[in-house]
Structure formats: structure tokens, C-alpha cells
Amino acid sequence: MKRLGYLDGLRGLLALIVFGEHFLKVFYPTAMTHETVWHDGSYFDFTFVFSPLTYIYNGAFAVSGFFVLSGYLLMRSVWYADNKERAFHIQQIGRRYLRFAVPITASLLFVLISGQLGLLNNDAFIQETGSKLKNIYQSQEPMIFWDVLVQGFGSSLFAFDYRHNPVLWMMTPEMFAVITFGVFGSILNNLASSQVTRAMCLSIFLSISYFFVSGYLFVGIWIGALIFGVDLLWRRLTRNHRLVALGFFAVGAAMLLINLKGGASNPFLVGKGSEHASNIAYTLYGIAWGGLLLGLLHLPVLQNVLNNKSLQSLGKSSFGIYLFHYPLLGVLAVPIVNTFSLPWGIETLLAGVATLAASYLIGLVSYRWIERPIIMAKSITFQIKYDDYKAQTQT
């Protein structure tokens, strides 16, 4: 199935936003609007907190975008995989599982080695600066290689285990969606043949399953899947795509502008949880992203912006960037700041650039040598079905 380059570009932007939030939490914790603080109406507040610039470091906003995008792409792959063999769908689930598990295990192995070498002992830095950097390697309870294997191939994907890397909290919802959508795809392709019946089954499945996940932070995955269904019907029922797409995009953008009233510390004025924005806020972010994504799918102007080669490269490397940037903040960024005697702004800038560059290089290696070989193991039936569908819709 043809890869959509502009969605890779979107992934690249989202990865930069997540990195930006964690970077600020480590080196500028008092500036982070996700903390429970009162703002005094200063120039900083009006410039960075209650303006669109808040979205360049709003992690909840970016994570919601990742969830919506993931749900859309997962359902897209399920829909076009017209294969009645259950083994095919099991293989699809297995490939995605390995694509997640192997890089996760590599990132945990990196934490283990770094911790044993004493490179993650940042207690003094945290106490001195008030940094929100989490201690991901506890010397009192050191990791062993068995812990790496169990968490990498098991508990991080099936039991919300993010002890040694806080970003891993997203992986259990992702794996849950992979299994759920994969099983649905197997049932769909065995029970339904016509496009209308398949579309009806898709609507019923998403409606029922959304009821069960609506109270969780990862509800965006199901919103993204629903966006695929809406887009599918839209392409069949209307020809004026761009005008309607502009309307959807405007709705999503309007929701994000309304959200600025609360800043990132109180998204959509519905409060926050202990670690992230509240469940309701994630749902609202997901709906906003749904409008933005529907617009993006039909507006070539936006697609051309995100088709930038640098953003696409970042997007393809985004999983590795996501997994490794947090350990690298402790292993690389903090030592850079502690080593040089320069103004704080210059030190942290150097640390941030070096950490992002290292994360990108690791992510690129992960994509080319781990993820891509697994992704390329595609079904011939899958490709033929998608090509046939595209040919039908273009005539």
C-alpha cells in the first residue's frame, strides 16, 4: 500500500513537539504550563502560554495527534487487507508486535547499560535545578537483562509498564488497538464481501468499541479509525472534497483556538490529571485532530507543506526518536550542561540540539534496519486490493 509522505511529515512535527515538552521539563521546569501554577498575565504568558505557540511544546496535544494518526492508519491497513486467511491477519499482528517490541527492547537495553555505567545518576542535577527529569534507573533496584526482555517483549506492550522509560505508557494502547483491529479485519473479510456491508460492519464495530474506550486517554486511536470510515463514505458520496475538507479543518482549528483560554495547564478548561491532561481533554484534542486530519487528507496545499523531505525523514525516524530521546536527555543533555561553563541558555541549546540529533540518528537506524524490513513484509493480495480500489475511485 502506498505510503502517504505528508503523514510522515506530520509525524515528524509531532515528534519534535514531544521532544520539546520533555526538554523544557528537564531544563526549564517552571516555564512548563503543564505544571500546576498560577499565571500572572506577564508577557511570557501572553506570548507562549495563551497563544498558538503553546502547541509547539504541548505534549498532550502531540500525543493525541499520534493516537488519531495511528488509528486512521491501522484501520486503513485493515480495510484494504482483503484476505480471508486467519493466518494472514495473525501475521499482520505479529509483524506490528515485532516492530514495537524490538526497538522498545533496544531502548531498555540502552537504559540498562547507561545505568550500570553510572550515566543516569542525575540526582544532584535534579535537586539543584528543580528539574522534572525522572530517575529511570533506580540504583536501589537495579535492572537486569531479564527485566529488559520481560518489559520489552511483554509488560510494556500488554501491562502499561513504563518504569524505565516514561514514554512507554503509549505502547499498551497501541498494541491493544493492533490486536482489536486485526481480529476485526479477520472477521470482516470472512463475513462480508460487498463494500456496503463492510462499511456497515465497520460503523457498528467502531460504535460499540468506542463505548468501551471512551473514558481512556487513548480514545484518539478510535477517533482516528472513525475518521477513516468518515473519509471512506465521504469519497463515495460527495465530489466537492476541498470545500468540505476546509470546513472540517476549520472546526479542528477553532477547537484549538478555544482551548487557548486555559493554556496547556488546563486544556479545554476541564482540568488535568496527575500526569497528563484529563481524559476529557484527550477526547477533545482527538476530535480536534479528527477535523485537522480530514482536512489534511483533501487539501493539497497542506500536504505539500508536510511533504518536506526533512519532515518526512523525521517522521520515519519518529518511533526511535520517541523511544530514545528521554534516556538521552539524562545520558547526554545533562552532562553537556554540567560540563560547560556557559550561559544557561547557550548550554541548554547545545544540549537540546545534540540530544535531538542523537535521537534522530538512532531513530533512522531503527527505521532502516529494524522497522522497515518488518514493514516491507507485505501481502501481495493486500497491494493488489488497494490498487484495484484506487483505480475504481479514480474512474
Side-chain angles (χ1 to χ4, degrees):
M1 184 168 58
K2 182 180 179 182
R3 193 178 185 99
L4 301 178
Y6 56 88
L7 295 186
D8 281 327
L10 179 58
R11 274 202 193 98
L13 281 179
L14 296 178
L16 290 176
I17 294 172
V18 172
F19 176 85
E21 181 193 37
H22 289 151
F23 171 80
L24 289 176
K25 280 191 171 182
V26 171
F27 294 110
Y28 297 90
T30 58
M32 276 305 302
T33 56
H34 284 293
E35 307 306 322
T36 306
V37 296
W38 290 96
H39 298 286
D40 58 6
S42 65
Y43 176 78
F44 176 84
D45 285 349
F46 288 115
T47 305
F48 292 101
V49 179
F50 301 105
S51 80
L53 291 178
T54 190
Y55 292 117
I56 67 175
Y57 59 88
N58 187 329
F61 164 73
V63 168
S64 295
F66 272 125
F67 279 148
V68 171
L69 190 56
S70 176
Y72 172 83
L73 293 173
L74 278 174
M75 187 52 66
R76 181 172 179 256
S77 66
V78 166
W79 181 264
Y80 295 125
D82 187 14
N83 193 310
K84 298 182 183 299
E85 296 294 330
R86 289 185 176 86
F88 169 80
H89 296 279
I90 294 174
Q91 291 169 3
Q92 290 285 82
I93 294 172
R95 280 194 288 268
R96 290 188 180 275
Y97 165 73
L98 289 176
R99 184 193 175 190
F100 291 158
V102 176
I104 289 172
T105 302
S107 71
L108 292 171
L109 185 62
F110 177 75
V111 172
L112 170 63
I113 295 173
S114 301
Q116 291 184 343
L117 292 176
L119 301 178
L120 287 170
N121 184 13
N122 297 311
D123 292 341
F125 172 81
I126 294 172
Q127 293 176 1
E128 180 182 351
T129 63
S131 172
K132 298 300 180 183
L133 178 67
K134 295 182 184 294
N135 191 346
I136 59 177
Y137 184 88
Q138 300 288 343
S139 56
Q140 302 88 344
E141 300 178 5
M143 295 172 64
I144 60 175
F145 185 66
W146 176 249
D147 295 329
V148 170
L149 294 179
V150 170
Q151 187 176 0
F153 285 93
S155 56
S156 66
L157 290 166
F158 300 103
F160 284 100
D161 186 358
Y162 50 93
R163 288 171 296 164
H164 305 296
N165 192 343
V167 303
L168 293 181
W169 75 271
M170 283 181 62
M171 299 317 304
T172 296
E174 289 283 352
M175 195 65 221
F176 173 67
V178 166
I179 295 173
T180 304
F181 292 174
V183 171
F184 165 72
S186 178
I187 297 173
L188 179 68
N189 291 325
N190 277 277
L191 295 182
S193 56
S194 72
Q195 293 294 319
V196 175
T197 305
R198 285 162 58 86
M200 290 178 61
C201 291
L202 175 63
S203 301
I204 294 172
F205 164 73
L206 290 176
S207 300
I208 295 175
S209 58
Y210 180 84
F211 174 78
F212 291 100
V213 302
S214 59
Y216 296 94
L217 300 181
F218 55 88
V219 65
I221 298 176
W222 266 255
I223 293 175
L226 181 62
I227 292 304
F228 173 79
V230 171
D231 184 56
L232 194 70
L233 293 174
W234 179 4
R235 290 178 185 273
R236 289 179 173 274
L237 299 177
T238 182
R239 294 183 178 180
N240 195 359
H241 293 170
R242 293 185 182 180
L243 183 61
V244 180
L246 188 60
F248 277 115
F249 188 86
V251 170
M255 290 184 66
L256 296 180
L257 290 175
I258 293 172
N259 177 44
L260 295 177
K261 292 182 179 180
S265 61
N266 187 15
F268 296 100
L269 300 175
V270 292
K272 62 171 285 184
S274 58
E275 289 284 342
H276 302 280
S278 69
N279 295 352
I280 298 175
Y282 267 86
T283 301
L284 294 173
Y285 274 135
I287 294 172
W289 268 113
L292 296 177
L293 181 58
L294 273 171
L296 176 60
L297 293 171
H298 296 272
L299 295 175
V301 173
L302 298 176
Q303 295 173 10
N304 291 337
V305 172
L306 293 174
N307 269 327
N308 178 277
K309 295 298 183 182
S310 297
L311 284 179
Q312 286 188 27
S313 182
L314 275 173
K316 292 176 181 178
S317 308
S318 61
F319 191 47
I321 294 173
Y322 184 77
L323 291 177
F324 281 89
H325 80 273
Y326 202 92
L328 282 170
L329 283 170
V331 171
L332 181 60
V334 172
I336 288 177
V337 170
N338 289 335
T339 300
F340 296 100
S341 298
L342 299 171
W344 183 254
I346 297 177
E347 287 181 344
T348 55
L349 178 62
L350 291 174
V353 171
T355 304
L356 181 58
S359 302
Y360 167 71
L361 291 176
I362 294 174
L364 199 59
V365 170
S366 174
Y367 174 73
R368 289 186 176 180
W369 299 103
I370 299 176
E371 300 169 55
R372 191 168 183 270
I374 298 174
I375 296 171
M376 293 302 292
K378 294 181 179 180
S379 165
I380 296 176
T381 305
F382 192 143
Q383 185 64 49
I384 292 174
K385 176 64 181 178
Y386 179 70
D387 291 342
D388 287 347
Y389 174 79
K390 292 296 289 183
Q392 292 173 8
T393 57
Q394 291 174 359
T395 58

